[in-house]
Every structure is written in structure tokens, then in C-alpha cells.
Amino acid sequence: MSDLLLYVLIAAALAFAVSSWWGVRRLKALHIRSAVREAAHEHGLERQRVAVILNPIKAKADEARATIQRACLTAGWEEPRFFETTVEDPGHSQVRAALEYGADVVLVGGGDGTVRVAAEALAHTGVAMGLIPLGTGNLLARNVDLNVYDLYGNIQTALFGHQRFIDTARMEIENSLTGHSSSHSFLVMAGIGMDAEVVGDTNDGLKRAVGWLAYTEAGVRHLPGRRKKVAISLDDQPDQSRKIRSVLFANCGLVPGGIDFIPQAMIDDGMLDVVVMSPRSAVGWLAMYAKILFKHKRHLPVMSMYRSGKVVIRCPEPMPTQLDGDTSGDATKVTVQVEPRSLLVRVRDETARLGARA
């Protein structure tokens, strides 16, 4: 069977899985699990000073603003302070202003990029972050078990819910050809290689129309391609020489569509789950797809998984990188390290969460 035919079959399987509501529900049931080890706790505040970092271009931004204002007024608190993001500043100065304001909780209304920028500034401060998911993927919200379609419920959780500490991670990106270097936090999943190519090549118009399914279309287009040689070091051990299509660094493993991409990943275990993907052909991609979709435990030579607190990857030619679904430039070296229990996040209390699943 030719690779072209297999790629067509993979595309058909993906289309079937994401277009059938019955199938998606079955997959969600298969992949439901807890991604945390420790129980949430009450925040213990009778009155709260609330700051909101809001991306004003999101579809439900105005509704979120009005709902937050009503909730704070009903609770008898002072008016919440809103700080809007811009194209030039996606949240850095806004979070600093919120902290200077003395916020007890910072609500973040936007997509994954806004949440990532806000979390970078809130990490290690002890100030809680409340999630108001308004984006396409809403990756962190899914991994802390929020219903990303329930705006009112998420605002109630952000203001009145319990809270827990979670890990964050940091990626240092170096490009020896250009001399450029940078360092960024991420919350869910970063990567180098094909996954970053897919993120960079996803059609924005299609993403607005069909949401996270747009990544599937881009992913199918990028299945053909050559493997590239890299050196991988885990926890400062000697390098491993590998030929890869992509390497993912996961703080947690749930992705849109109800799929638990990395079943062993926990968001508060102080470890990264590293996935090295090295398929040579469509057969390898098909085997990986089946393993992930149906949670097969058999080892695949084209898909290796490791657990590490620190990962260093060196490559002779620049490769694209991504952080929580945002492109982050080409790199000849990346250093990724976990920051254990560095961010305080508002979550649903366990009784409400379990009751919603019953």
C-alpha cells in the first residue's frame, strides 16, 4: 500500500473521529481521568480585590465583562479592575498593573496565548489566577477540568471556587545562526519540529470557523516530510542521538476533542513528560494515531516517552518551536525545565466536579 493511500486513510479516520458526535463522546469517556495528584483547597477570603486581564477582541469578551461586574457587585466587593490586552502587549504590563493594584485574584479572559503570558507573570507570586476561557483550544482550562463552554460557571469558579498549585515550565530558545535567544513559560505543551510547523501553518480563517479542528487539517498536510537529526539530553545525562519529526514537552496531556494525548502526564508532579516522535512513513503515523486514540500500552519504536525535570535538545539546523499552540521561533537548541507548584489556579471544588460527572 502506498504512502499516499495511507495518508488519505489517516485523513479519513481523523475526519470520522472529529465529525461524529457519538464517536467523540465515546472517546471522551475513554480518556476521562484526573490530571492532578493533590486535592484543591478553599481560598479563605471573605472579600476579594479582583483584577481582570481581558482580550477585547474575543467573541464573548463583553459578556464576560458584564458577568464579572455583576458577580462582584452581588458579592458586595469593590468594582473589578479591567486591563485589556493589545496586539503590541498581550498581557505583560497588564498583569504587572494588576499586581500593583493589589489584586487577590487575577481573572484571565482570552485564549491560550493570553493565559500563558499572564501565568508567566503570576508564577511564584502566590496570587491566584482564575480562568475565563474565550479562545480556540483553551488547553489549561481543559486540563484543570473546567467546562470551556460554560462562561457563567467559569466566572463563578474563578471568583468563588477552590484553588490548587500547579507546575509551570520554561523553554529557553537559542538560534546559533541568528544569535537570537529568548525564554518563555508554558503551561500545557511545548514542542520542536512538526507540531510547531502545524501550529504555524494552521489557517486562521478556518480556525475561526471550526475552532481546534483547523489544526487537524494542517496536521494532515504536514504528515509527509523527512526526519531530522537531534541530540537529546534528559536531566543532564549524556546526549542521545535521534532522528525525529517532533519532540513534545508536556506539563499535562489533555488536548481538544477529549483525547488524553499523554495518559501518564500530571500537572502537579514536578516532572515533564517528553514524547519523541520519529515515524518514517504513513504506517508509523497510523500506528501512533491508533495508540493515542485507543490508549494502547504497547511500546512503539516510532513514539518514545520519557519523564524528566529538564530536557536539552540540540539540532544542527534550525527547527520551529511552539508554546501552548503559539509559534515561538526557530531554534538550534532548546532547554526545557519544569517549575514545580509555581502557579496558583482557581478550580471547581471536588464535590461539584464529581457531581457534574455523575
Side-chain angles (χ1 to χ4, degrees):
M1 183 180 293
S2 69
D3 273 2
L4 178 59
L5 179 56
L6 280 174
Y7 287 131
V8 171
L9 290 175
I10 291 173
L14 288 169
F16 174 79
V18 300
S19 63
S20 166
W21 281 109
W22 177 83
V24 169
R25 289 191 185 102
R26 289 289 300 275
L27 290 174
K28 284 183 177 180
L30 177 64
H31 288 260
I32 284 175
R33 68 173 176 96
S34 175
V36 296
R37 296 194 305 178
E38 297 188 11
H41 57 274
E42 296 183 6
H43 57 72
L45 299 173
E46 293 184 5
R47 297 180 61 85
Q48 296 181 94
R49 180 172 287 186
V50 178
V52 185
I53 311 301
L54 186 65
N55 185 338
I57 69 170
K58 293 300 182 181
K60 293 189 175 182
D62 291 340
E63 183 182 353
R65 179 193 296 269
T67 305
I68 293 167
Q69 288 174 323
R70 285 196 301 270
C72 291
L73 177 64
T74 301
W77 303 341
E78 63 183 86
E79 182 84 5
R81 188 77 61 88
F82 288 85
F83 302 89
E84 293 188 350
T85 65
T86 64
V87 174
E88 296 76 21
D89 189 344
H92 299 284
S93 65
Q94 292 86 342
V95 179
R96 288 196 298 270
L99 292 173
E100 291 172 1
Y101 166 63
D104 298 302
V105 60
V106 177
L107 276 57
V108 183
D112 293 317
T114 306
V115 171
R116 183 178 60 80
V117 169
E120 184 169 298
L122 289 172
H124 305 288
T125 66
V127 176
M129 179 170 73
L131 297 169
I132 314 298
L134 303 177
T136 302
N138 303 308
L139 295 174
L140 181 62
R142 296 175 191 272
N143 278 276
V144 295
D145 202 33
L146 297 181
N147 180 352
V148 299
Y149 305 108
D150 182 5
L151 178 63
Y152 176 80
N154 290 326
I155 289 172
Q156 291 294 302
T157 295
L159 293 173
F160 309 108
H162 288 197
Q163 58 192 28
R164 64 160 44 95
F165 282 100
I166 66 170
D167 302 337
T168 62
R170 180 165 290 274
M171 176 190 278
E172 296 177 8
I173 301 167
E174 302 176 36
N175 188 328
S176 61
L177 295 188
T178 65
H180 176 75
S181 64
S182 60
S183 179
H184 309 276
S185 291
F186 67 93
L187 298 165
V188 178
M189 206 173 292
I192 182 169
M194 177 189 156
D195 63 295
E197 294 174 358
V198 170
V199 167
D201 197 30
T202 298
N203 183 280
D204 288 337
L206 187 61
K207 189 160 66 170
R208 285 191 293 270
V210 300
W212 61 268
L213 295 180
Y215 294 107
T216 301
E217 183 273 336
V220 171
R221 286 191 285 108
H222 280 268
L223 287 178
R226 67 182 182 89
R227 301 186 302 168
K228 297 181 180 180
K229 189 175 182 178
V230 301
I232 304 175
S233 172
L234 304 172
D235 288 329
D236 297 319
Q237 295 298 307
D239 288 348
Q240 305 176 33
S241 181
R242 301 288 298 271
K243 287 186 176 181
I244 61 100
R245 289 297 308 279
S246 184
V247 181
L248 293 175
F249 318 98
N251 188 35
C252 42
L254 191 67
V255 296
I259 305 302
D260 197 358
F261 184 75
I262 306 172
Q264 69 271 27
M266 304 287 283
I267 202 170
D268 59 354
D269 62 354
M271 299 292 286
L272 294 168
D273 291 87
V274 184
V275 184
V276 180
M277 297 182 286
S278 55
R280 298 184 181 186
S281 66
V283 174
W285 286 116
L286 190 60
M288 285 175 47
Y289 176 69
K291 176 180 173 65
I292 294 166
L293 198 63
F294 300 108
K295 300 185 75 172
H296 289 314
K297 296 183 179 179
R298 178 180 296 180
H299 171 70
L300 287 178
V302 296
M303 185 179 183
S304 302
M305 297 190 179
Y306 307 92
R307 287 172 56 77
S308 179
K310 178 182 178 183
V311 188
V312 180
I313 293 185
R314 299 176 178 85
C315 38
E317 57 182 292
M319 296 178 66
T321 64
Q322 63 86 13
L323 299 152
D324 286 346
D326 288 331
T327 57
S328 47
D330 291 349
T332 54
K333 177 184 177 183
V334 296
T335 302
V336 187
Q337 194 156 359
V338 69
E339 298 184 340
R341 293 174 55 83
S342 53
L343 181 66
L344 190 60
V345 177
R346 289 281 168 89
V347 295
R348 292 190 287 172
D349 68 79
E350 296 297 310
T351 302
R353 181 176 66 84
L354 294 174
R357 284 184 175 175

